[in-house]
Amino acid sequence: MGEEMENMSVNTSSKTEDENHVPAEDGAVKYYTRDEVQAHNMSKDTWLIIHDKVYDITSFLEEHPGGEEVLLEQAGSDATESFEDVGHSTDAREMLQQYYIGELHEDDRKKETKKEVYITTSKESSSWSTWLIPAVAVAVVGFMYRYYMLEHKSS
């Protein structure tokens, strides 16, 4: 397997620049390593990773509504979080597809870490609402009892 990976990197590096920028015509997905993407971090050659997909956005820099500086800050890196934080429209997401050139190699993808969720099922909770709501209810009932008892005694 080590030899296969070595041969793949030799094959990738021997391709012409145009072949690197255009997805395979036979429908096969091209895979790029994070290091390969990082090499494309200049205004004349700008690649981004968004949701483990690689995009060559060089020709889009001047058209970007937020300015090219925003894209250049992310050039050559994973821009997924920034892309999602801005809240791009459906049109923007569809437009992104025309710049697609391949996928991030499996070994370079961030592993999804499962977030542990703790659910408290115990009736013993130290939450303020467990004692505050009953305390307020008791105070209201006590106030109403005294008010009505005093009203009825004075009549």
Side-chain angles (χ1 to χ4, degrees), residues 63-81:
E63 298 173 37
H64 187 254
E68 64 183 74
E69 297 80 21
V70 180
L71 296 175
L72 289 173
E73 286 176 9
Q74 302 292 321
S77 66
D78 190 332
T80 303
E81 190 172 332

Side-chain angles (χ1 to χ4, degrees), residues 13-138:
S13 62
S14 66
K15 292 180 181 175
T16 65
E17 189 172 329
D18 286 340
E19 286 176 307
N20 275 334
H21 286 76
V22 180
E25 295 199 14
D26 62 357
V29 176
K30 288 196 171 195
Y31 290 92
Y32 299 95
T33 65
R34 197 170 291 276
D35 290 339
E36 287 175 306
V37 175
Q38 286 174 347
H40 301 273
N41 63 358
M42 295 170 282
S43 62
K44 299 210 182 296
D45 185 22
T46 311
W47 290 12
L48 292 177
I49 301 165
I50 299 174
H51 294 294
D52 296 328
K53 294 184 185 320
V54 180
Y55 300 94
D56 180 354
I57 58 158
T58 309
S59 61
F60 180 67
L61 289 177
E62 292 179 9
E63 298 173 37
H64 187 254
E68 64 183 74
E69 297 80 21
V70 180
L71 296 175
L72 289 173
E73 286 176 9
Q74 302 292 321
S77 66
D78 190 332
T80 303
E81 190 172 332
S82 298
F83 183 81
E84 293 301 335
D85 285 349
V86 171
H88 284 90
S89 67
T90 305
D91 290 342
R93 292 172 189 276
E94 288 173 9
M95 183 184 294
L96 185 62
Q97 297 312 307
Q98 67 186 328
Y99 302 103
Y100 173 82
I101 57 170
E103 303 274 331
L104 186 62
H105 193 278
E106 290 289 330
D107 294 341
D108 286 337
R109 294 182 183 198
K110 293 181 181 173
K111 305 293 182 230
E112 291 286 326
T113 55
K114 292 183 180 178
K115 296 181 180 177
E116 294 185 27
V117 177
Y118 297 99
I119 300 172
T120 306
T121 57
S122 170
K123 300 227 183 225
E124 298 174 350
S125 176
S126 61
S127 173
W128 59 270
S129 63
T130 59
W131 60 266
L132 183 62
I133 293 172
V136 170
V138 167

